[in-house]
């Protein structure tokens, strides 16, 4: 790695750190200078070139330190790009957040971490849109319920009027339409585990147009809401104080790098405070960090395995498995390493016998 590349990467780090303070100028965070772009591209090129070296290659052993340094700088770039995008997302600036991911992926197109982070952001953006649409439907339903008394009085004043009948029929159709929309939004909210919003949708849908389907969905939302073990009986001030103290504890765990414990703590918080928007943001960030650690550690383990350090590779794979227990690649790598070690032990026992 030459001096020019190191300087470029240092400037890149400073530039990305400064971007977080430029909320009023989102275009500044997206635009990176040509020197900085060239710096990260050189790191990606170095990584790709050195990863092609085989253990038997004369350069392999001597270039591993350079490969690790290049990977670390690329990972630093990925992590900072994600941090900037998350800050935009917290401000509901979804377009700017997506631009950050799009620009970063131009420099590191094969980055699984950036691709996963962008996909997760798209899922959250879709959920946010559905929540807003549900709120609009709730407002519309509440207004229809408020108008109910007025239409009853109109019907009593002129019961035989054609215009009155047309108005009442239009009102009833509107109630059925909005009730059906609220039923749809309520079911979507249940899928997103937003049981509080689901109940609001379905309760109004039930009042507008009571049906068996709406009643079943409302019953499900109530059951799920009760199962979360909410602490709504506590005074709001006490709940907020307890929440903040536990968030601080979670942040301390995160700083120590114990992602497994951090996930347990955050899961417990989400069960007790299911509607808290800050916890949803923390969950998004934690999932990105977990995926990043799994990818990086798994790649390191593969290098160890290819160098013949099978036991070290196995230990590393087993260490990260609890973070992603359903990962088929991790399960396959662990199984393969275990078989290799068993075969080696059997061979040594045979030779010693």
């Amino acid at each position: 790695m030459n001096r020019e590349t190191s300087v470029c990467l240092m400037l890149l780090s400073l530039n990305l750190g400064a971007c977080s303070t430029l909320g009023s100028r989102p275009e500044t965070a997206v635009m990176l200078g040509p020197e900085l772009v060239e710096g990260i591209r050189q790191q990606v090129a170095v990584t790709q070139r050195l990863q092609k070296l085989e253990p038997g290659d004369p350069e392999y052993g001597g270039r591993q330190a350079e490969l690790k340094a290049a990977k670390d700088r690329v990972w630093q770039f990925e992590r900072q790009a994600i941090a900037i995008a998350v800050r935009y997302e917290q401000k509901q600036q979804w377009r700017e957040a997506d631009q950050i991911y799009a620009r970063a992926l131009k420099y590191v197109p094969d980055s699984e971490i950036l691709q996963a982070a962008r996909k997760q952001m798209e899922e959250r953006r879709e959920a946010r849109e559905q929540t807003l649409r549900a709120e609009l439907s709730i407002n519309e339903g509440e207004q229809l319920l408020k108008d109910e008394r007025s239409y009853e009085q109109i019907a009593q004043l002129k019961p035989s009027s054609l215009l009155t009948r047309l108005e009442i029929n239009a009102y009833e159709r509107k109630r059925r339409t909005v009730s059906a929309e609220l039923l749809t939004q309520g079911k979507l909210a249940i899928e997103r585990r937003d049981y509080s919003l689901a109940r609001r949708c379905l309760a109004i849908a039930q009042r507008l147009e009571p049906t068996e389907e709406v009643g079943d969905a409302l019953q499900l939302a109530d059951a799920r809401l009760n199962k979360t073990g909410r602490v709504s009986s506590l005074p709001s001030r006490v709940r907020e104080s307890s929440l903040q103290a536990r968030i601080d504890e979670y942040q301390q765990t995160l700083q120590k790098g114990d992602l497994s414990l951090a996930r347990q703590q955050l899961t417990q918080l989400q069960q007790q405070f299911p509607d808290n928007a800050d916890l949803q943001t923390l969950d998004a960030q934690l999932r990105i960090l977990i995926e990043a650690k799994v990818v990086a550690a798994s790649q390191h383990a593969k290098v160890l395995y290819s160098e013949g350090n099978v036991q070290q590779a196995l230990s590393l794979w087993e260490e990260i498995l609890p973070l992603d227990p359903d990962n088929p690649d991790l399960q396959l790598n662990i199984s393969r390493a275990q078989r290799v070690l068993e075969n080696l032990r059997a061979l040594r026992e045979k030779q010693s016998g």
Side-chain angles (χ1 to χ4, degrees):
M1 184 189 312
N2 56 37
R3 177 182 176 81
E4 180 182 357
T5 301
S6 300
V7 172
C8 286
L9 264 293
M10 181 181 67
L11 291 174
L12 174 62
S13 176
L14 293 174
N15 185 75
L16 286 171
C19 287
S20 62
T21 64
L22 299 174
S24 60
R25 297 177 58 194
E27 71 279 2
T28 306
V30 178
M31 297 177 62
L32 303 176
E35 295 85 1
L36 302 177
V37 173
E38 184 59 28
I40 191 60
R41 282 177 175 165
Q42 287 185 25
Q43 293 303 302
V44 173
V46 168
T47 301
Q48 292 175 340
R49 177 168 54 83
L50 294 181
Q51 282 180 329
K52 294 179 180 179
L53 294 176
E54 298 292 338
D57 194 296
E59 294 185 65
Y60 183 84
R63 306 303 290 273
Q64 290 308 297
E66 184 179 356
L67 174 60
K68 184 180 184 303
K71 285 183 177 180
D72 288 345
R73 286 180 171 83
V74 173
W75 158 231
Q76 182 72 9
F77 170 80
E78 293 168 330
R79 188 180 66 177
Q80 291 178 328
I82 290 172
I84 294 170
V86 168
R87 281 194 285 271
Y88 278 124
E89 181 182 333
Q90 290 174 325
K91 299 175 184 178
Q92 301 299 313
Q93 294 176 307
W94 300 94
R95 181 178 64 86
E96 289 79 5
D98 188 63
Q99 286 178 324
I100 292 294
Y101 286 123
R103 182 57 62 92
L105 282 166
K106 284 185 178 180
Y107 312 147
V108 195
D110 297 327
S111 171
E112 296 180 0
I113 296 172
L114 289 174
Q115 291 171 359
R118 191 182 193 185
K119 180 180 179 182
Q120 291 171 8
M121 186 207 69
E122 287 294 337
E123 292 173 353
R124 291 191 297 274
R125 177 160 60 177
E126 174 114 5
R128 178 59 178 166
E129 180 184 352
Q130 290 176 353
T131 299
L132 291 174
R133 292 188 182 280
E135 292 288 352
L136 289 174
S137 296
I138 288 172
N139 293 337
E140 193 173 8
E142 289 175 340
Q143 187 59 50
L144 286 170
L145 292 172
K146 290 178 182 178
D147 294 340
E148 183 176 13
R149 181 59 180 165
S150 298
Y151 278 102
E152 288 176 353
Q153 293 177 351
I154 291 174
Q156 291 175 358
L157 290 170
K158 292 185 178 181
S160 60
S161 168
L162 176 61
L163 180 59
T164 297
R165 289 200 301 271
L166 290 175
E167 287 177 337
I168 296 299
N169 289 339
Y171 171 71
E172 293 296 337
R173 286 197 300 272
K174 186 67 174 177
R175 285 174 64 113
R176 290 192 293 271
T177 300
V178 174
S179 178
E181 177 63 23
L182 284 168
L183 173 60
T184 299
Q185 294 295 344
K187 289 181 176 179
L188 290 173
I190 290 175
E191 291 178 3
R192 300 195 303 273
R193 300 181 183 179
D194 191 346
Y195 305 125
S196 179
L197 178 63
R199 196 193 186 289
R200 290 175 59 204
C201 291
L202 296 167
I204 295 176
Q206 183 78 332
R207 293 175 62 190
L208 288 171
E209 183 71 17
T211 65
E212 183 178 354
E213 186 178 8
V214 172
D216 291 343
L218 181 57
Q219 187 176 6
L220 176 61
D222 282 335
R224 297 285 177 83
L225 193 59
N226 292 333
K227 191 175 180 180
T228 58
R230 299 176 65 185
V231 291
S232 55
S233 59
L234 294 176
S236 60
R237 178 175 55 81
V238 176
R239 288 165 51 205
E240 291 174 3
S241 175
S242 172
L243 173 62
Q244 188 55 53
R246 294 178 63 184
I247 287 179
D248 292 342
E249 181 184 0
Y250 160 80
Q251 295 286 11
Q252 292 174 4
T253 302
L254 203 59
Q255 290 176 1
K256 294 176 182 177
D258 191 344
L259 297 183
S260 182
L261 178 58
R263 184 168 64 177
Q264 294 177 18
Q265 293 172 336
L266 187 57
T267 299
Q268 293 174 355
L269 283 172
Q270 288 177 306
Q271 290 175 346
Q272 294 184 338
F273 303 89
D275 302 324
N276 188 279
D278 292 337
L279 294 181
Q280 294 175 8
T281 301
L282 292 177
D283 179 67
Q285 294 173 332
L286 180 60
R287 282 190 283 122
I288 291 171
L289 291 175
I290 286 176
E291 186 155 1
K293 181 172 181 177
V294 169
V295 171
S298 184
Q299 290 177 345
H300 183 206
K302 289 179 181 179
V303 172
L304 291 172
Y305 184 89
S306 65
E307 293 174 343
N309 299 317
V310 182
Q311 183 59 61
Q312 294 181 36
L314 175 60
S315 298
L316 189 52
W317 278 320
E318 289 178 335
E319 178 185 339
I320 60 176
L321 182 63
L323 296 176
D324 192 5
D326 298 325
N327 189 314
D329 291 335
L330 286 179
Q331 296 172 352
L332 178 62
N333 290 331
I334 289 173
S335 176
R336 181 176 59 182
Q338 289 174 338
R339 287 198 303 271
V340 170
L341 290 175
E342 289 174 1
N343 291 336
L344 288 174
R345 280 194 293 269
L347 181 59
R348 284 195 295 268
E349 291 174 359
K350 184 178 181 180
Q351 290 176 344
S352 61

